[in-house]
Amino acid sequence: MSNWLKDEALLQTFRSEVSERIASLQSGLLRLETSPDDVEVINAIFRDAHTVKGSAKMMGFAAIKELAHRMEDVLGDVKEGRLALGPQLADVLLQSSDAILRLLDSLDKPESLPEDVAALIAALEEARVRGGAAPPGASRMPTEQGGAEQMLDQVDDAEHQRSASASGQARKSVSNRSDRPSSRFAADNLGPPLAVPFDSDSGDSSGRQTLVPEGVTAPGGSGEGPVRPANSGGDASLRGLGAARATARRGTTGGLRSKSEAVYSGDAPAGPAETVTGGDRRSQATPATAARVESELGREGPPRTEAFVNPIGQSIRIEASKVYELIDQAGEAVIGEVRLEEIARKLNELHRELEARTRRIRHKPALEGHFKVLEDARQRLATISAQLTETVISQSRALDRLQEQAMGLAMLPTATIFAPFPRLVRNLSRQLGKEVDLVLDGGGTELDKQVLEQIVDPIRHLLINAIDHGIEHPEERERAGKPRRGSVKVVARHRGRQVVIEVSDDGKGIDPEKVRAVAMRKGIVDAADEMSTQEILSLLFRPGFSTASLITDTSGRGVGLDVVKDAVDRLKGTVEVASAPGRGTTFTITLPITLAIVDVLLVIAGGQDFAVPVAAVEEVLPHEGQVVAEVAGRPCIQWRGQSIALFDTAEVLGVETTQHEGPILVISSAARRVALRVEALVGQQEVVIKGLGSFLPRVRHIVGCSILGDGRVVLVLDPNELVDTARRPARALRPPPPSRRKLLESRHEQAKRRLLVVDDSLAIREMLRSIFEAAGYDVALASDGEAALQVLQATKVDGVVTDIEMPRMDGFELTRLIRARPDTEEVPVVIVTGLAKEEDKRRGLEVGANAYIVKSAFDQTALLDAVRSLVG
Amino acid sequence: MMTTSESTALPRRVQSLREIETSGAVTAEPEDTKSSGERTGEPLRVVVFRLGEEAYAFPLENVAEISRVPAITPVPGVEDFVVGLANLRGNVIAVLDIKTVFGIAEEEERPLVAQRLLCLDSDGVAAAVLVDRVEGVARVSSDELEPPLPGAAEALRPWLLGQFRRDSRLVAVLDAGIVQALRERLERAERTA
């Protein structure tokens, strides 16, 4: 196996093949939820599992092979109607496929069978035991062939052979299927062995110990999996490893050595048990085999209206980096071509100048000889210049096409990132006790792969938010006169050279007043600040801002829309939110189709050229005619009825400005605006954005650079960071205005926030006390709900952290009473509890808790984050 | 020979060079086999250049290219030793002034056109350093390479692989790993900012 591991290319192929298969398998499983009888889909996912198993086996990745093998068995049973694919089984299969993806990520790590994988294997086997229509008495067979194969693999390894080949042979021999070709590939391609049970033989199972070579343990600890009685299945490698260890533990010796040896040598089985079961199997095998063949040929069932097609077709696998290299080169070629155009133009100019001069001496007899020579040269120059211009023009067209096609290579339909969403929505809504329909639209809209990759997480985040915080519980929806089932939509569409992705829900919407209240409590805004609804909602994108009424595990600590904004910013896109209370919320993400080419304004700041993405520039104002007024000590301009702070771009960048006069750019980012004065405007052009090379890490205010027509490097400014810096009071470029300073100072002097910690365990009380005190809070303690109420009557607190189960009065009741009393109804309550049940969480919400933190998932940071975001 | 206290302060690479020098044999250094000179005892090939009046050298294996100085675009907000970014045949590369790093005082600054760029590659991190003049490639046998002088400037010392004499002049051999270290320095600065 170590040899394979070293071959990166091979590993890469393996990884991409397996992930494609798993993706196909997962989408198939989800599809089966709506059309459970779709034979075509069942066949397809069965083949997926089978292929994954086969590849993993060839590459020698035992854990993946084991898991895929079990999945294949289960799916085989489903395929042949022995097992019904219910939601539970689908869950196990989905989890197993996820586990394979996880294993795929850690191929280079020493191989072992992680616990969760072992558990999944057990669950899959159990599903077959419970659900399978196995004949009675057949399901308790200890896994003997497994043991045999295990040894086989060990011996095999020692001989430096591919274990795949050995197990292929072993399987052939133990299952006594002489109709199978002996090639391991062929054996694998035939699909799984038939899962026909056979009787156990106790003598048999105790006898295999003899073959385990001394000192050999299960390789790499792959035998960690729990040993489950396997009901059926002739394929030895199926459940081999765990069984081998179990056998070894039993440590008995017995008399089936000959049989095992027969297995080892790959001959026909010699043991009596084998012969019998082999016979059994054959007798039952025929019809089933026939059925499978038929179904695989697609003759079974009515034709589907929508064919289930694997996403692997006539494609060439190319590494993304190669495509981007190509795009880069094409971009460079286009830039080079622009320079060539410039040269052609200059040559043409030169020609015209020469023409004018020769014309002037034309009729001067004294210069006639010179004229002829010059005129001859001019004509040749004219021809060359015309040829060059022509060539440059046709080259330019060809290069444009080349560039476009190169960029097209990196474009993928958004459907590729939508694929996991149905499952996410399904799991999450089930987990939260909500009923949610997911509508995906515009999956064909294409986006650059790099953009897509970086936008998946933000969209997933918004989707989770929509379900967790947007969509109400069915009862609540009914009370509000809405259909029980909520609806969440993810829609992608083109808008010019941009792609718009909308994530919307028909849930309860966001209350701007609530947002404003939280913002005020955190000191982000002043009560006096006049803000439009749009501006208020955009506060949600501020770091650490959360208005979720309940902070849960699902959304982590608060909502974290700042993370979404960060990601979108990086992609030079924008994100906006609109919401109608009671009717729903829509997040709109606008992205450039590709990261490679950006339309920029070239400006001069600090005496240097910079490029500013046009997308962020709302308007360019001339220097003349701007009324600059000081507002709170900062120059501001009036723009569309708004007052916008004005900065010199150089000043924001921290370099010296060469002049305080020049055009003004109105730049916006997430509903925030600043006016940036530049020293001059040079022009507008499309540029290929490159990184800053391997040496420079992220540089503040710079998103990348580009090479101009004359070969110079120009830096592309990051509008978001420019706005951040300009608007950040802490890094005020001038002394902060008095009002702002007062605000900052007053916050410093603010009295410590006071927390009431309620828990009946002294140890936990004290632990929480030390955590909160270390975080700068003043902490009061109470040992149960009643004691807490007494404290609340006597003193004012800024937040309550309570346990649920307590003597006299529990946390639910305490929370309810806190909400019921006018002087405490606004006090944030965080429930910290061992109860992880969804109904408890919901009950917490019902009585009015603001956050619910489960102790099993309890870590200090999560708790502190929750408290900080609620209490301040 | 160096004193013990000084040798412990040296980076691993220097020690292994010293081992070659002292023993003449090759010591197995699994983590440090980048330089073929170290591994096989072959002479180390270095590119010799000038910073002011002093002669320095980088191992040839770390020098990807030597070029004239193209237009350099300053990058606002980074440390002084980053002169800016330059376009070298379509590749954007950071240009560094290692004189600033080493604290080499300049009596009279050479115009950029008279300088050269030495493009270094250290484990995939590429940067170009400005040098006053490139003198050529030299072969340095392990016998010739002396341990760094204890009197070397503080800022220079961590990056000295050793030195050798050519034409009665001392040439200090530098570790191209300085590129990585400077990059980390910028990253730290960016994080704290």
Side-chain angles (χ1 to χ4, degrees), chain A residues 736-764:
Chain A
S739 64
R740 190 92 221 177
R741 197 159 43 206
K742 226 187 286 163
L743 195 79
L744 288 172
E745 279 163 5
S746 69
R747 206 173 313 155
H748 278 300
E749 289 160 11
Q750 214 167 42
K752 274 186 174 178
R753 295 281 186 175
R754 192 170 164 79
L755 287 183
L756 172 58
V757 169
V758 193
D759 201 302
D760 56 338
S761 150
L762 176 67
I764 290 179

Side-chain angles (χ1 to χ4, degrees), chain A residues 608 690 694-695 698 707 711 713, chain B residues 73-74 87 90 126 179 183 190:
Chain A
Q608 185 184 341
K690 307 178 125 226
S694 57
F695 180 80
R698 239 180 59 82
I707 297 173
V713 175
Chain B
T73 302
N87 165 22
V179 171
R183 182 177 193 274
E190 165 70 21

Side-chain angles (χ1 to χ4, degrees), chain A residues 173-196:
Chain A
S173 58
V174 294
S175 61
N176 194 20
R177 288 182 53 160
S178 50
D179 55 335
R180 279 197 177 185
S182 60
S183 147
R184 61 186 139 132
F185 300 105
D188 274 352
N189 288 338
L190 271 179
L194 292 174
V196 180

Side-chain angles (χ1 to χ4, degrees), chain A residues 503-527:
Chain A
V503 179
S504 57
D505 65 69
D506 66 348
K508 55 178 170 280
I510 301 168
D511 180 359
E513 281 317 305
K514 211 160 154 189
V515 176
R516 180 200 274 274
V518 174
M520 276 166 56
R521 196 164 67 224
K522 295 182 173 208
I524 295 175
V525 292
D526 249 332

